[in-house]
Amino acid sequence: MKINGPLAEVDIGGNVKEVNIMLTPEAKVGDYVLLHAGYAIQVIDEKSAEEIFDAWEDAHEAIQ
C-alpha cells in the first residue's frame, strides 16, 4: 500500500500492518510478498498469491 524506506504498510486480509522490506528491496507498491515475523521475505506473483489465499480459505473452512 505504501513504502517508507525499509518499512511498508501492507494489507493482510483487510488488516493493515507495517512490515520490514529490507530482505526484499525489489518490492514495490502493488506487489504480493510472503511475510514471516514482520518481514517480507519474498516477492511472489499474483497466481501464487491466489493459490495461497485459496489454501488458507480451505484450511479455515475445514476447522469450522
Side-chain angles (χ1 to χ4, degrees):
M1 296 176 54
K2 181 168 54 171
I3 296 174
N4 185 19
L7 301 177
E9 284 185 10
V10 298
D11 180 343
I12 306 169
N15 295 308
V16 176
K17 302 287 182 183
E18 188 173 73
V19 300
N20 191 302
I21 57 168
M22 287 178 49
L23 300 174
T24 54
E26 71 278 17
K28 59 188 179 304
V29 173
D31 283 348
Y32 291 93
V33 293
L34 289 178
L35 301 175
H36 178 69
Y39 285 83
I41 59 171
Q42 183 178 357
V43 176
I44 60 173
D45 61 38
E46 185 174 1
K47 181 180 181 231
S48 296
E50 290 298 329
E51 290 172 356
I52 293 168
F53 296 149
D54 290 344
W56 275 110
E57 187 174 312
D58 291 346
H60 182 263
E61 289 175 7
I63 62 172
Q64 294 301 317

